[in-house]
Amino acid sequence: MDNNSDVMYRMLVQSVIDYAITMLKPDGTVASWNGGGLHVLGYRPDEIIGQHAALFYNEEDRRRGQPQRELDIAATTGRYENEGWRCRKDGSSFWAHVVIYPIRDETAQLIGFAAVCRDCTRQQEQQRKEREQEMRFRLLVEGVTDYAIYMLDQDGNVVNWNAGAQRAKGYVAEEIVGQHFSRFYSAQDRLNHIPSQNLQTAYRTGRFEDEGWRYRKDGSAFWAHVVIDTIRDDQGKLLGYAKITRDCTEQQRVRGEQREQEQRFRLLVEGVTDYAIYMLDTDGVVVNWNAGAQRAKGYKAEEVVGQHFSLFYSAQERLNRTPEANLGIALKTGRFEDEGWRYRKDGSAFWAHVVIDAIHDDDGKLIGFAKITRDRTEGREQEQQILRARDLAEAQSTQKTALSKFLDNIIANIPSCVIVEDAITREILLVNDRTQQLFGLSKALIVNKRPHECMSPELSDYFNNLADVALRSEGMHEREQLLMTASGERILHTRATAINGQDARRNYLMLLVEDVTDQRAADARIHHMAHHDNLTSLPNRMLFRQRLSEALRTANQTQRQTAALCLDLDNFKNVNDALGHQIGDELLRSVAKRLRNTLRDQDTLARIGGDEFAIVLPSVANSEEASIVAQRLIEAIRPPVNVEGHNLSVGLSVGIALSTTITNTPEQLLRCADMALYEAKRNGRNRYEHFTLEMDDVARSRRLIENDLRDAISGGHLRLYYQPITNGDHRTIIGYEALMRWHHPIRGLIMPNDFIPIAEETGLIHMLGAFALYEACREAASWEGEQSVSVNLSPLQFKNSSLVPVVEGALKESGLDPARLEVEITESVLLDDSLGNIRTLQNLKALGVQIALDDFGTGYSSLSYLRSFPFDKIKIDKSFINDMGDSREALAIIRAITGMSRSLDIQITAEGVESDEQFTKLRDEGCTLFQGFLFGRPQPSELRLKTLG
């Protein structure tokens, strides 16, 4: 039985081929060898038995005594197990898993070792790749700062948070992990269940992708590109969602500007028909195609875009890789220019003047090539005709007279100016008709004269210098210069070449002169459009930033300062709204001219949008120098501007920032100048302010109030107080105006004038407005009787398309009769986008809501408002009520408003009534409704005054 067992074990060991199972003697010599040893290590038994096991280790391991160390560990501990490199018979290495057991007899005497070795190279490589892949992904996700990358669980709660998410949204991981991702959406989006709908889309389709507004911890909005991918296990069970968000606010703005800029370039380039202008990618593939390219080469855009530009070359040039060589020159030197044969779609050849410019992005990376091709077949043929005619004239002396006439005829009809001189005497021997037109001289006054005898000194010097160059060296020599001609100042492009006569002692000079003024003007217009504002021709934002960067670099080298000024026109919007954009544009042009004339040549004035301008003052000594310039600018704008019979007055607010160690980049300097501009406008406009660190402190303080306001909205610290509105009997309260109050836990009661402007600046006004509407409707619905409730709407709420749905939702949720809700607007709603806002008012009116026009008489009050929309009420501002006892003008305005209202059948509410005398006088003047401290102060709903007397 034992014998049979030994045989079976031996057969089992021998049959295993994936494992090398070996018996070693105590000194490490191989005693037995199985089939797996041959498979794994490559040795047959007769080759390895009797050899030492160190044979399987590399030279370095043997030198360090590794084989014996492993046997010693096995003998001491009872087992040795490890992984490492081992060597086969053929010298190749493999990753081995090795186990060594000591073998002892009944007396515990060591009689040898059992060693098992397995080739794990493939598994080890796979594990290494998986570890590297996992490490790369982890480092990638955690290191990305431009993308918010995080996981959501099945319910949409945040599971983890990377550095990009913290940078983009302002939350640190411990603030947001475990929170629902809907907090990044607006309140309205949450009301509309947009976050859950997006998750459902990802769940249903596997992915949701969109762009839209999202919100940071501080409440600021940013334009985001969002991707939500579902994550499932191998069985398809939902594990959660992967969410990637990128802040694309700047890209969206830049894309808008780029689209506008690219549209102008595209229209310009596509409209050119005499030049083939198109782009190549970095490999030479055609990217776009203009009308001139189609005209010159015969291909339509859809036939050639995506093809390599080498198809315009001959087969031999393609074999010689000439197209690639030309691109190489453009890449190395920035430009390739040449003339040669090119081929059209129909196979015909034309002589082309070709320019290839390498195009790099702002980081210097090659993004492609701009290629301009002009068909010069006709011009080249004319030049060749001249040369052939010359050769023919010299070769055929017997036909000299006839050929001379023929040559004269050819030269006379060449569209370029042709001048031939004697190389020695510089006597002009021949000119054509075009030369006579350009210089305003007849042929008789030019031929047989030297240039200085028949031309201005400027022209004769130009031609003589070019002739000297042509005589010194062979080939065609070119020069271009602005010169005064009979046609005025023109840009002349001249080619000069020396021609050998039949007699070696006679040489000639041929000058071919082209008027390229119009062509160069077109090139200049293209360059100007890329860097200047279309309306005023001032530098645009792109060129302004370049000039500011240059000024800062120079200032660092010269130990002087650079000043940046941000300018904003005061009251310009009123001109635009009242007289239209055409008058506004003319006003901007006039203003730009006045500003430019006030500055030095080295200063840069740019228009950066709307009625906003910016100025770079390089190399200023101190802030006083910048102040003087700012005051000059304000004074220059002060006089009225006459535009089409309108005398228009606008003011100028200026913010100034000087470069320091803190503000030493264009972005920082502009941000500081913009803060100073805001301060100038806040302090009364038509003035300048310098940036101070206190402004930064004020901005931070405003942000603190803003953050407290956000907490107040979410924490329920805001309440509505209600002030009664009565009719003329002085007894009946017919409604209440809802007025918001903020109960701050530290500062106490805060009035609307202290926080509504901040809410409007930050966009929180939409959430405050929605709260006021929902709360006022909810509380009014609980009142006995039919008293109305009046809610004020900010003009900014009209910029939100959800205003009408919010009002409708408040009415629906509360069950309040729409006729009991009154919304109050100010005249500014009708000044800004009046047609769109009128449509919004009409939609509110369609709900059954009452509409009141508040503060009438204090702004640009106009009968056109009352004609454009049927208001239910007009509210006279309390300033007129206060002054009517002492001011005839105030009383006259009240009488005008009440009289107009009676004729239009509109109720009049007098605000701020504080005495019986005022009440009696206003009732006598025709006011029908009254509000003020005389009838009651604002109180919470439960404490409001329910009746008078």
Side-chain angles (χ1 to χ4, degrees):
M1 184 67 180
D2 293 338
N3 197 26
N4 287 336
S5 296
D6 290 342
V7 171
M8 289 177 66
Y9 276 118
R10 186 168 57 252
M11 291 177 64
L12 174 63
V13 169
Q14 289 296 334
S15 63
V16 172
I17 63 170
D18 290 329
Y19 291 80
I21 303 175
T22 312
M23 286 294 294
L24 305 177
K25 295 178 181 180
D27 63 352
T29 305
V30 178
S32 69
W33 193 251
N34 77 328
L38 174 62
H39 178 74
V40 174
L41 292 161
Y43 293 92
R44 297 192 309 274
D46 58 320
E47 295 175 310
I48 197 63
I49 291 176
Q51 300 291 330
H52 197 278
L55 191 63
F56 311 134
Y57 292 73
N58 59 41
E59 183 177 345
E60 176 64 18
D61 285 346
R62 291 197 298 270
R63 186 181 62 78
R64 292 188 293 108
Q66 184 68 19
Q68 187 59 47
R69 187 180 300 111
E70 291 178 5
L71 293 179
D72 293 340
I73 293 171
T76 303
T77 64
R79 175 188 174 92
Y80 173 84
E81 184 175 2
N82 197 7
E83 288 188 358
W85 292 106
R86 295 295 184 269
C87 300
R88 298 187 182 91
K89 174 185 174 183
D90 60 8
S92 60
S93 297
F94 68 101
W95 187 261
H97 177 261
V98 177
V99 180
I100 304 174
Y101 299 91
I103 308 298
R104 300 180 184 275
D105 61 13
E106 293 81 359
T107 64
Q109 182 69 31
L110 180 68
I111 61 174
F113 298 89
V116 181
C117 175
R118 186 185 179 192
D119 184 349
C120 296
T121 307
R122 183 178 301 175
Q123 295 91 323
Q124 190 263 354
E125 179 65 15
Q126 181 64 29
Q127 290 171 0
R128 184 188 62 79
K129 289 181 178 177
E130 289 174 353
R131 287 195 299 271
E132 289 179 354
Q133 185 76 350
E134 181 182 349
M135 178 63 73
R136 283 197 295 271
F137 272 113
R138 184 177 64 78
L139 293 176
L140 172 65
V141 170
E142 291 180 353
V144 169
T145 58
D146 290 331
Y147 289 81
I149 304 174
Y150 52 98
M151 289 285 294
L152 306 177
D153 65 16
Q154 298 171 352
D155 298 322
N157 296 315
V158 177
V159 176
N160 53 32
W161 198 246
N162 80 325
Q166 180 175 339
R167 180 175 179 268
K169 304 195 178 187
Y171 296 91
V172 295
E174 52 267 32
E175 293 176 311
I176 197 65
V177 170
Q179 301 292 324
H180 197 271
F181 85 110
S182 60
R183 69 164 46 202
F184 309 135
Y185 290 72
S186 68
Q188 188 59 47
D189 282 349
R190 294 196 292 272
L191 284 174
N192 294 336
H193 307 293
I194 298 300
S196 59
Q197 291 174 14
N198 295 349
L199 275 194
Q200 289 168 10
T201 301
Y203 178 85
R204 189 175 61 255
T205 65
R207 164 174 278 225
F208 169 81
E209 185 169 4
D210 194 15
E211 287 192 356
W213 292 109
R214 295 295 184 270
Y215 295 83
R216 303 183 181 92
K217 175 185 174 183
D218 63 5
S220 59
F222 66 101
W223 187 260
H225 177 263
V226 178
V227 176
I228 306 176
D229 287 304
T230 54
I231 306 300
R232 299 179 183 274
D233 63 16
D234 295 338
Q235 287 73 43
K237 179 183 177 182
L238 179 69
L239 300 177
Y241 303 86
K243 191 163 187 297
I244 302 176
T245 304
R246 187 184 183 193
D247 183 349
C248 297
T249 309
E250 181 63 13
Q251 294 91 321
Q252 186 200 31
R253 181 190 65 75
V254 172
R255 280 200 299 268
E257 294 178 356
Q258 286 177 340
R259 282 195 296 272
E260 182 179 349
Q261 190 75 356
E262 288 167 0
Q263 175 74 358
R264 290 198 295 268
F265 273 113
R266 183 177 60 77
L267 293 175
L268 175 67
V269 171
E270 289 181 355
V272 174
T273 58
D274 290 330
Y275 290 80
I277 304 175
Y278 52 97
M279 285 286 295
L280 308 176
D281 66 14
T282 54
D283 296 321
V285 174
V286 177
V287 176
N288 52 34
W289 199 245
N290 78 326
Q294 180 174 339
R295 179 173 180 267
K297 303 194 179 188
Y299 295 90
K300 295 179 180 177
E302 56 268 27
E303 296 174 312
V304 78
V305 170
Q307 302 289 326
H308 196 273
F309 85 112
S310 58
L311 66 92
F312 311 131
Y313 289 71
S314 68
Q316 186 59 47
E317 286 177 316
R318 290 197 293 272
L319 282 174
N320 295 339
R321 302 188 64 80
T322 301
E324 289 78 7
N326 294 351
L327 283 190
I329 294 171
L331 180 59
K332 183 178 180 181
T333 66
R335 182 183 182 91
F336 170 82
E337 186 171 5
D338 194 18
E339 289 192 355
W341 291 109
R342 296 294 184 271
Y343 296 85
R344 302 185 181 92
K345 176 185 175 183
D346 60 7
S348 60
F350 66 102
W351 188 260
H353 177 263
V354 178
V355 175
I356 304 175
D357 286 306
I359 307 299
H360 297 82
D361 64 15
D362 294 339
D363 298 324
K365 180 183 177 183
L366 179 71
I367 59 175
F369 300 89
K371 192 166 186 295
I372 303 176
T373 303
R374 184 184 182 191
D375 185 348
R376 286 205 65 252
T377 309
E378 185 178 345
R380 181 178 184 275
E381 181 58 29
Q382 291 164 354
E383 294 169 8
Q384 294 297 314
Q385 284 179 354
I386 293 173
L387 296 175
R388 287 196 295 271
R390 182 206 66 185
D391 294 340
L392 186 62
E394 291 178 349
Q396 302 292 333
S397 57
T398 57
Q399 301 176 7
K400 184 175 180 181
T401 303
L403 288 176
S404 178
K405 291 181 180 179
F406 174 67
L407 181 61
D408 287 344
N409 187 45
I410 291 175
I411 292 173
N413 290 285
I414 290 176
S416 300
C417 300
V418 179
I419 303 173
V420 178
E421 298 179 0
D422 184 289
I424 298 174
T425 65
R426 296 294 170 85
E427 184 179 322
I428 299 173
L429 305 176
L430 182 148
V431 294
N432 66 346
D433 295 343
R434 194 63 178 263
T435 306
Q436 298 179 81
Q437 296 168 13
L438 181 64
F439 299 123
L441 296 172
S442 66
K443 189 180 297 186
L445 295 175
I446 300 175
V447 174
N448 299 323
K449 299 278 181 39
R450 295 182 177 86
H452 69 273
E453 295 173 338
C454 58
M455 300 179 191
S456 67
E458 183 183 34
L459 280 172
S460 63
D461 288 346
Y462 171 69
F463 289 124
N464 285 335
N465 290 338
L466 190 54
D468 291 341
V469 173
L471 286 173
R472 284 197 296 269
S473 58
E474 293 181 344
M476 184 76 73
H477 299 273
E478 300 183 48
R479 187 171 295 174
E480 194 170 290
Q481 191 171 322
L482 178 66
L483 298 162
M484 180 60 72
T485 70
S487 304
E489 283 193 330
R490 309 298 291 175
I491 300 174
L492 302 184
H493 183 92
T494 304
R495 298 185 188 87
T497 184
I499 302 172
N500 296 325
Q502 190 171 9
D503 186 337
R505 292 169 296 181
R506 291 295 298 273
N507 291 311
Y508 304 93
L509 287 164
M510 182 172 69
L511 302 168
L512 298 175
V513 186
E514 286 187 273
D515 182 349
V516 296
T517 309
D518 296 337
Q519 178 182 335
R520 296 298 176 261
D523 295 341
R525 282 195 298 272
I526 293 173
H527 185 271
H528 186 273
M529 286 178 65
H531 295 87
H532 291 78
D533 171 53
N534 229 13
L535 178 66
T536 62
S537 290
L538 293 175
N540 60 14
R541 186 184 293 272
M542 181 188 302
L543 183 55
F544 174 81
R545 193 188 180 287
Q546 292 176 9
R547 298 275 177 84
L548 183 53
S549 297
E550 292 167 3
L552 286 171
R553 282 196 298 271
T554 303
N556 288 336
Q557 297 165 359
T558 59
Q559 303 302 311
R560 290 176 71 85
Q561 288 180 290
T562 296
L565 280 62
C566 285
L567 288 65
D568 190 81
L569 297 183
D570 303 328
N571 301 321
F572 174 76
K573 185 177 183 300
N574 297 333
V575 174
N576 244 5
D577 292 336
L579 301 176
H581 290 287
Q582 185 174 350
I583 299 294
D585 288 349
E586 287 300 324
L587 176 58
L588 283 174
R589 291 190 187 95
S590 299
V591 166
K593 188 177 296 184
R594 287 188 183 181
L595 294 174
R596 180 63 263 180
N597 290 339
T598 307
L599 298 171
R600 305 170 299 180
D601 290 341
Q602 64 265 37
D603 301 333
T604 298
L605 170 67
R607 180 178 177 230
I608 57 177
D611 59 344
E612 300 173 24
F613 298 84
I615 295 173
V616 179
L617 299 179
S619 189
V620 295
N622 49 48
S623 61
E624 183 61 30
E625 190 175 331
S627 299
I628 294 170
V629 174
Q631 190 59 45
R632 283 207 307 263
L633 293 167
I634 293 170
E635 296 301 327
I637 299 304
R638 197 183 302 279
V641 179
N642 188 283
V643 179
E644 298 185 10
H646 302 280
N647 280 326
L648 307 175
S649 294
V650 292
L652 187 69
S653 298
V654 184
I656 306 169
L658 269 70
S659 59
T660 65
T661 55
I662 299 174
T663 55
N664 58 1
T665 69
E667 291 75 15
Q668 292 169 335
L669 203 57
L670 274 177
R671 185 178 68 84
C672 294
D674 198 52
M675 276 195 275
L677 173 62
Y678 177 83
E679 184 71 9
K681 292 163 71 173
R682 195 175 68 83
N683 290 337
R685 302 176 181 268
N686 206 35
R687 56 184 288 125
Y688 67 83
E689 293 285 352
H690 283 272
F691 169 75
T692 64
L693 293 177
E694 287 75 13
M695 292 179 189
D696 213 14
D697 295 338
V698 169
R700 280 197 293 272
S701 176
R702 289 175 67 84
R703 285 196 293 273
L704 289 175
I705 296 176
E706 176 193 336
N707 290 335
D708 287 350
L709 183 56
R710 294 181 189 281
D711 293 338
I713 296 172
S714 60
H717 300 154
L718 298 167
R719 292 198 64 185
L720 293 182
Y721 280 36
Y722 298 90
Q723 185 174 31
I725 302 171
T726 182
N727 58 15
D729 65 9
H730 205 320
R731 292 191 301 274
T732 306
I733 295 176
I734 60 101
Y736 299 88
E737 180 177 2
L739 301 167
M740 190 171 291
R741 299 292 186 265
W742 178 5
H743 291 269
H744 194 281
I746 297 174
R747 303 184 185 188
L749 187 65
I750 301 179
M751 303 301 283
N753 287 343
D754 296 323
F755 65 86
I756 292 296
I758 295 176
E760 290 180 328
E761 287 176 17
T762 59
L764 290 173
I765 191 65
H766 301 297
M767 277 72 85
L768 285 182
F771 165 78
L773 284 164
Y774 272 81
E775 189 71 5
C777 289
R778 183 187 66 79
E779 293 190 323
S782 67
W783 299 340
E784 296 178 359
E786 297 298 319
Q787 292 164 327
S788 64
V789 64
S790 178
V791 180
N792 291 282
L793 296 182
S794 164
L796 288 177
Q797 289 178 262
F798 282 79
K799 296 183 181 296
N800 193 328
S801 60
S802 66
L803 175 59
V804 175
V806 167
V807 174
E808 189 174 12
L811 290 169
K812 184 176 180 180
E813 183 177 294
S814 64
L816 184 70
D817 180 357
R820 292 180 59 195
L821 176 62
E822 178 180 296
V823 295
E824 297 185 13
I825 69 165
T826 58
E827 297 169 10
S828 57
V829 170
L830 301 174
L831 275 171
D832 186 13
D833 188 19
S834 58
L835 291 178
N837 291 344
I838 287 292
R839 282 194 293 270
T840 300
L841 290 172
Q842 290 168 343
N843 292 334
L844 290 173
K845 190 79 170 176
L847 296 177
V849 173
Q850 304 291 302
I851 312 289
L853 183 58
D854 197 10
D855 298 340
F856 191 77
T858 59
Y860 296 87
S861 304
S862 169
L863 281 174
S864 64
Y865 299 159
L866 306 180
R867 292 174 57 194
S868 63
F869 184 79
F871 290 97
D872 297 291
K873 294 179 184 176
I874 294 175
K875 301 188 75 172
I876 301 176
D877 188 73
K878 62 183 177 182
S879 62
F880 298 113
I881 311 300
N882 292 336
D883 296 343
M884 70 177 184
D886 304 319
S887 169
R888 291 191 305 167
E889 291 81 2
L891 185 59
I893 291 173
I894 293 172
R895 285 174 176 169
I897 294 173
T898 55
M900 175 184 62
S901 301
R902 278 194 298 271
S903 64
L904 296 173
D905 195 23
I906 299 175
Q907 283 190 309
I908 296 293
T909 301
E911 291 187 294
V913 181
E914 297 184 359
S915 68
D916 287 323
E917 291 80 11
Q918 289 177 336
F919 169 69
T920 303
K921 183 67 175 175
L922 289 165
R923 187 176 56 185
D924 293 344
E925 292 297 337
C927 293
T928 53
L929 300 174
F930 305 88
Q931 180 180 351
F933 291 164
L934 178 64
F935 312 106
R937 293 177 179 273
Q939 294 290 340
S941 176
E942 63 274 14
L943 301 177
R944 75 190 190 283
L945 192 66
K946 299 181 177 63
T947 183
L948 298 173

